[in-house]
mmCIF file of all heavy atoms in Angstrom:
data_model
loop_
_atom_site.group_PDB
_atom_site.id
_atom_site.type_symbol
_atom_site.label_atom_id
_atom_site.label_comp_id
_atom_site.label_asym_id
_atom_site.label_seq_id
_atom_site.Cartn_x
_atom_site.Cartn_y
_atom_site.Cartn_z
ATOM 1 N N GLU A 49 34.373 115.786 -58.122
ATOM 2 C CA GLU A 49 35.397 116.751 -57.527
ATOM 3 C C GLU A 49 36.443 117.063 -58.559
ATOM 4 O O GLU A 49 36.840 118.245 -58.599
ATOM 5 C CB GLU A 49 36.040 116.134 -56.311
ATOM 6 C CG GLU A 49 34.961 116.014 -55.197
ATOM 7 C CD GLU A 49 35.527 115.035 -54.105
ATOM 8 O OE1 GLU A 49 36.735 115.155 -53.678
ATOM 9 O OE2 GLU A 49 34.822 114.154 -53.546
ATOM 10 N N ARG A 91 22.760 115.507 -64.983
ATOM 11 C CA ARG A 91 21.924 116.739 -64.802
ATOM 12 C C ARG A 91 21.279 117.055 -66.012
ATOM 13 O O ARG A 91 21.768 116.679 -67.212
ATOM 14 C CB ARG A 91 22.716 117.941 -64.397
ATOM 15 C CG ARG A 91 23.253 117.825 -62.888
ATOM 16 C CD ARG A 91 24.047 119.181 -62.652
ATOM 17 N NE ARG A 91 24.714 118.973 -61.386
ATOM 18 C CZ ARG A 91 24.056 119.451 -60.219
ATOM 19 N NH1 ARG A 91 22.832 119.685 -60.181
ATOM 20 N NH2 ARG A 91 24.765 119.318 -59.051
ATOM 21 N N VAL A 97 20.421 121.764 -75.456
ATOM 22 C CA VAL A 97 19.224 122.177 -75.851
ATOM 23 C C VAL A 97 19.197 123.595 -76.053
ATOM 24 O O VAL A 97 19.822 124.292 -75.309
ATOM 25 C CB VAL A 97 18.110 121.596 -74.778
ATOM 26 C CG1 VAL A 97 18.338 122.119 -73.417
ATOM 27 C CG2 VAL A 97 16.655 122.114 -75.267
ATOM 28 N N GLY A 100 15.682 128.787 -76.347
ATOM 29 C CA GLY A 100 14.449 128.998 -76.995
ATOM 30 C C GLY A 100 13.434 127.819 -76.797
ATOM 31 O O GLY A 100 12.343 127.864 -76.470
ATOM 32 N N ALA A 103 12.535 127.417 -73.201
ATOM 33 C CA ALA A 103 11.493 128.395 -72.732
ATOM 34 C C ALA A 103 10.110 127.965 -73.190
ATOM 35 O O ALA A 103 9.125 128.214 -72.511
ATOM 36 C CB ALA A 103 11.832 129.760 -73.461
ATOM 37 N N THR A 105 9.185 124.704 -73.749
ATOM 38 C CA THR A 105 8.817 123.330 -73.333
ATOM 39 C C THR A 105 7.680 123.265 -72.378
ATOM 40 O O THR A 105 7.423 124.025 -71.582
ATOM 41 C CB THR A 105 9.990 122.692 -72.506
ATOM 42 O OG1 THR A 105 11.210 122.995 -73.383
ATOM 43 C CG2 THR A 105 9.860 121.314 -72.447
ATOM 44 N N GLN A 113 14.855 113.992 -61.109
ATOM 45 C CA GLN A 113 15.295 115.349 -61.348
ATOM 46 C C GLN A 113 14.264 116.304 -60.915
ATOM 47 O O GLN A 113 14.478 117.540 -61.077
ATOM 48 C CB GLN A 113 15.551 115.530 -62.880
ATOM 49 C CG GLN A 113 16.696 114.784 -63.475
ATOM 50 C CD GLN A 113 16.970 115.138 -64.884
ATOM 51 O OE1 GLN A 113 16.084 115.041 -65.771
ATOM 52 N NE2 GLN A 113 18.199 115.578 -65.102
ATOM 53 N N ASP A 115 11.638 118.218 -58.282
ATOM 54 C CA ASP A 115 11.626 118.907 -57.033
ATOM 55 C C ASP A 115 10.722 118.124 -56.175
ATOM 56 O O ASP A 115 9.579 118.150 -56.376
ATOM 57 C CB ASP A 115 11.107 120.360 -57.196
ATOM 58 C CG ASP A 115 10.885 121.014 -55.800
ATOM 59 O OD1 ASP A 115 11.409 120.420 -54.905
ATOM 60 O OD2 ASP A 115 10.346 122.093 -55.796
ATOM 61 N N TYR B 66 34.483 118.454 -49.999
ATOM 62 C CA TYR B 66 35.758 119.078 -50.576
ATOM 63 C C TYR B 66 35.644 120.616 -50.637
ATOM 64 O O TYR B 66 34.393 121.038 -50.705
ATOM 65 C CB TYR B 66 36.127 118.477 -51.935
ATOM 66 C CG TYR B 66 35.089 118.527 -53.020
ATOM 67 C CD1 TYR B 66 34.974 119.610 -53.831
ATOM 68 C CD2 TYR B 66 34.029 117.549 -52.937
ATOM 69 C CE1 TYR B 66 33.975 119.651 -54.685
ATOM 70 C CE2 TYR B 66 33.051 117.587 -53.956
ATOM 71 C CZ TYR B 66 32.905 118.654 -54.774
ATOM 72 O OH TYR B 66 32.046 118.696 -55.678
ATOM 73 N N ASN B 296 17.222 120.581 -59.374
ATOM 74 C CA ASN B 296 16.724 121.520 -60.473
ATOM 75 C C ASN B 296 15.298 121.157 -60.667
ATOM 76 O O ASN B 296 14.815 120.070 -60.794
ATOM 77 C CB ASN B 296 17.546 121.501 -61.750
ATOM 78 C CG ASN B 296 18.945 122.098 -61.579
ATOM 79 O OD1 ASN B 296 19.941 121.372 -61.471
ATOM 80 N ND2 ASN B 296 18.898 123.415 -61.362
ATOM 81 N N THR B 297 14.563 122.165 -61.026
ATOM 82 C CA THR B 297 13.099 121.970 -61.403
ATOM 83 C C THR B 297 12.839 122.677 -62.792
ATOM 84 O O THR B 297 13.408 123.803 -63.041
ATOM 85 C CB THR B 297 12.085 122.603 -60.465
ATOM 86 O OG1 THR B 297 12.439 124.071 -60.253
ATOM 87 C CG2 THR B 297 12.296 121.994 -59.040
ATOM 88 N N GLN B 302 12.638 127.046 -66.906
ATOM 89 C CA GLN B 302 11.877 127.627 -67.946
ATOM 90 C C GLN B 302 11.674 129.083 -67.614
ATOM 91 O O GLN B 302 11.871 129.883 -68.599
ATOM 92 C CB GLN B 302 10.531 126.992 -68.056
ATOM 93 C CG GLN B 302 10.630 125.599 -68.803
ATOM 94 C CD GLN B 302 9.245 125.018 -68.845
ATOM 95 O OE1 GLN B 302 8.547 124.907 -67.784
ATOM 96 N NE2 GLN B 302 8.854 124.598 -70.035
ATOM 97 N N ARG B 306 13.047 131.946 -70.158
ATOM 98 C CA ARG B 306 12.095 133.059 -70.772
ATOM 99 C C ARG B 306 12.613 134.484 -70.329
ATOM 100 O O ARG B 306 12.762 135.298 -71.264
ATOM 101 C CB ARG B 306 10.727 132.951 -70.254
ATOM 102 C CG ARG B 306 10.095 131.641 -70.908
ATOM 103 C CD ARG B 306 8.601 131.283 -70.337
ATOM 104 N NE ARG B 306 8.343 130.010 -70.774
ATOM 105 C CZ ARG B 306 7.671 129.134 -69.985
ATOM 106 N NH1 ARG B 306 7.391 129.449 -68.784
ATOM 107 N NH2 ARG B 306 7.387 127.875 -70.431
ATOM 108 N N ILE B 320 22.088 125.297 -74.083
ATOM 109 C CA ILE B 320 22.224 124.879 -72.686
ATOM 110 C C ILE B 320 22.929 123.500 -72.625
ATOM 111 O O ILE B 320 22.534 122.584 -73.184
ATOM 112 C CB ILE B 320 20.867 124.853 -72.059
ATOM 113 C CG1 ILE B 320 20.236 126.289 -72.086
ATOM 114 C CG2 ILE B 320 21.123 124.418 -70.501
ATOM 115 C CD1 ILE B 320 21.071 127.304 -71.548
ATOM 116 N N CYS B 323 22.688 122.342 -66.066
ATOM 117 C CA CYS B 323 22.175 123.291 -65.024
ATOM 118 C C CYS B 323 22.655 122.776 -63.649
ATOM 119 O O CYS B 323 23.203 121.629 -63.534
ATOM 120 C CB CYS B 323 20.663 123.267 -65.203
ATOM 121 S SG CYS B 323 19.890 121.775 -64.728
#
Side-chain angles (χ1 to χ4, degrees):
Chain A
E49 290 168 50
R91 287 182 187 277
V97 57
T105 310
Q113 289 189 304
D115 175 12
Chain B
Y66 52 92
N296 287 105
T297 59
Q302 286 176 309
R306 288 175 195 136
I320 296 302
C323 65

